[in-house]
Amino acid sequence: MTAQQLRFDNIESQTLTPQQQLQLFAAIEQGLPLVAKPYDALAKYLNISEKQVISTIEDWQEQGMIRRFGLVIRHRKLGYVANAMVVWNVNDKSVDDVAAILSKQKVVTLCYRRPRVLPDWPYNLFCMIHGKTRSQVIDQLNEICQHDELANIDKKILFSNKAYKQRGGKYSHTSASGK
Amino acid sequence: MNDCNVILDTLSQQIINAYQKGFPLCNRPFLELANRFNSTEETVIECFQNLQDQQVLSRLGPVFNHQQAGASTLAALAVPDEQLDEIAKKVNQFTQVNHNYAREHSYNLWFVATAANEDALTQCLAHIHRETGFKPLILPMEQAYHIDLGFNIEFSEHTRKR
């Protein structure tokens, strides 16, 4: 795999080559080592400087390639077991407005537009609500639906009853065969 | 993966709610946390290690913007209930699959696949189709309106140590 496939050609970094960026990317997607000087440890491993590690991560954050940098938590372990995906079949003209209302709700953590796949799947707007119990999530959803704009939209709530896998995306070790 | 509650001390709770984003980028980040929470660097590192051992911490690091970092999509399969665990296991074997959940719907297996580019992603989904015998519903993101994965955790009595 080349660095270009990971689109580092779009990314401005002060000091690292695309190849070095790819290596740093592959290293940090596994998570930082839990040692006193984690960036220094990565730098030594990659044969670059600690300053280069830190400034490159800063660049990636500024350029939006990294959304957030910190603890990635498995919510189920902390009791957030009622994980609901709510899907809405919204008129294309109002989808942005409906999304804006959903996005403002405190309990909504994610809100995306995705394509309909007719006839099987008419829903084009998705949001996530994470809660500790089903009834809590349903109450929260009912409260949200009191907004006039949301009251009459066809929707479904899909609770997840099992997590088979939950981890960060791995871009750098993927191959077409997948095994 | 077992769904179970774990008991966390106050320091762990404070760290979780303060550092799901904005983890310090400096020479000794754990020391910075220790100073803030009136603890020691060693204790803070132990705390992270403990969170990792208890599988509360998936990792300490970046959440990438999938669109910018590569290609990604949500996909779903409609699987007979009695085959769900078996098919989920087959889907899990693909390294491109990073989230995989059972959900209550006729489309009952939902997963996210990421790859370095669109071609690799398309091939992966075709391979999953062949391997499982079920055709994925492919639902790539068209627009992200709101993403807040680092939400504030409300620690209830039974997840609190003191």
Side-chain angles (χ1 to χ4, degrees):
Chain A
M1 178 176 306
T2 68
Q4 275 66 30
Q5 282 178 297
L6 273 166
R7 303 188 193 174
F8 286 112
D9 46 345
N10 296 331
I11 302 291
E12 298 280 324
S13 174
Q14 290 166 1
T15 54
L16 295 184
T17 66
Q19 194 58 38
Q20 286 172 321
Q21 289 189 64
L22 181 62
Q23 286 166 352
L24 176 59
F25 184 99
I28 62 170
E29 75 178 344
Q30 315 286 336
L32 295 182
L34 301 179
V35 295
K37 298 178 179 176
Y39 306 109
D40 187 52
L42 283 175
K44 290 204 165 80
Y45 173 68
L46 298 171
N47 207 15
I48 55 182
S49 73
E50 183 188 40
K51 199 171 164 230
Q52 286 174 312
V53 169
I54 289 174
S55 69
T56 304
I57 295 172
E58 281 169 349
D59 289 348
W60 288 345
Q61 282 184 304
E62 262 169 44
Q63 290 157 35
M65 192 169 79
I66 291 178
R67 265 190 219 290
R68 66 182 173 95
F69 192 86
L71 284 86
V72 181
I73 295 297
R74 292 194 179 93
H75 293 102
R76 281 172 182 268
K77 293 280 175 188
L78 298 177
Y80 285 79
V81 294
N83 151 328
M85 182 171 83
V86 186
V87 295
W88 311 72
N89 177 0
V90 190
N91 182 315
D92 288 332
K93 276 187 231 144
S94 17
V95 66
D96 288 347
D97 297 335
V98 171
I101 295 168
L102 286 176
S103 298
K104 270 187 233 146
Q105 308 305 312
K106 209 179 149 204
V107 298
V108 170
T109 53
L110 299 171
C111 185
Y112 298 122
R113 192 179 75 229
R114 300 185 185 276
R116 294 183 173 90
V117 182
L118 297 173
D120 283 8
W121 191 260
Y123 306 103
N124 57 341
L125 190 64
F126 289 59
C127 73
M128 294 294 309
I129 302 177
H130 295 267
K132 293 186 176 178
T133 63
R134 292 172 77 99
S135 60
Q136 181 197 7
V137 170
I138 289 167
D139 288 350
Q140 286 167 334
L141 182 60
N142 287 339
E143 203 167 302
I144 291 172
C145 286
Q146 286 176 3
H147 282 262
D148 290 343
E149 293 91 334
L150 304 180
N152 296 314
I153 300 173
D154 173 31
K155 66 174 185 301
K156 278 238 151 44
I157 177 163
L158 282 74
F159 279 102
S160 85
N161 37 34
K162 212 169 201 179
Y164 291 109
K165 199 181 210 182
Q166 198 180 5
R167 65 155 171 78
K170 299 250 191 307
Y171 304 96
S172 50
H173 298 129
T174 55
S175 68
S177 72
K179 290 294 177 65
Chain B
M1 185 183 301
N2 291 327
D3 298 339
C4 63
N5 289 329
V6 293
I7 308 295
L8 296 182
D9 58 27
T10 307
L11 179 62
S12 302
Q13 295 177 19
Q14 286 173 325
I15 288 174
I16 286 174
N17 274 337
Y19 289 103
Q20 290 178 67
K21 37 198 149 185
F23 187 77
L25 288 160
C26 62
N27 178 248
R28 292 174 72 175
F30 298 104
L31 182 61
E32 195 172 313
L33 269 61
N35 291 339
R36 172 167 169 185
F37 296 122
N38 208 9
S39 181
T40 66
E41 186 180 37
E42 205 185 352
T43 308
V44 168
I45 292 173
E46 262 171 34
C47 176
F48 274 84
Q49 193 61 57
N50 178 41
L51 288 171
Q52 197 162 68
D53 293 344
Q54 294 198 74
Q55 296 184 24
V56 171
L57 179 63
S58 171
R59 66 183 185 282
L60 171 61
V63 173
F64 289 108
N65 175 343
H66 296 262
Q67 256 54 34
Q68 213 169 323
S72 155
T73 191
L74 177 69
L77 301 181
V79 179
D81 281 340
E82 64 278 9
Q83 279 178 268
L84 190 59
D85 285 355
E86 172 207 336
I87 298 297
K89 210 186 261 180
K90 283 189 180 172
V91 170
N92 269 1
Q93 283 175 359
F94 287 80
T95 53
Q96 294 94 336
V97 170
N98 50 64
H99 290 257
N100 189 11
Y101 298 100
R103 291 193 181 278
E104 297 165 359
H105 189 270
S106 54
Y107 278 96
N108 52 358
L109 192 65
W110 289 79
F111 57 92
V112 176
T114 56
N117 56 52
E118 291 293 337
D119 282 351
L121 185 63
T122 305
Q123 282 182 49
C124 168
L125 290 162
H127 198 174
I128 288 174
H129 184 179
R130 277 202 307 278
E131 194 92 337
T132 63
F134 297 98
K135 189 180 180 208
L137 186 66
I138 300 171
L139 302 168
M141 188 166 82
E142 290 181 333
Q143 184 159 352
Y145 294 103
H146 176 65
I147 300 177
D148 182 15
L149 289 164
F151 66 88
N152 205 53
I153 303 289
E154 282 175 28
F155 291 97
S156 54
E157 283 308 318
H158 62 274
T159 53
R160 236 176 249 152
K161 204 183 227 170
R162 56 179 184 266

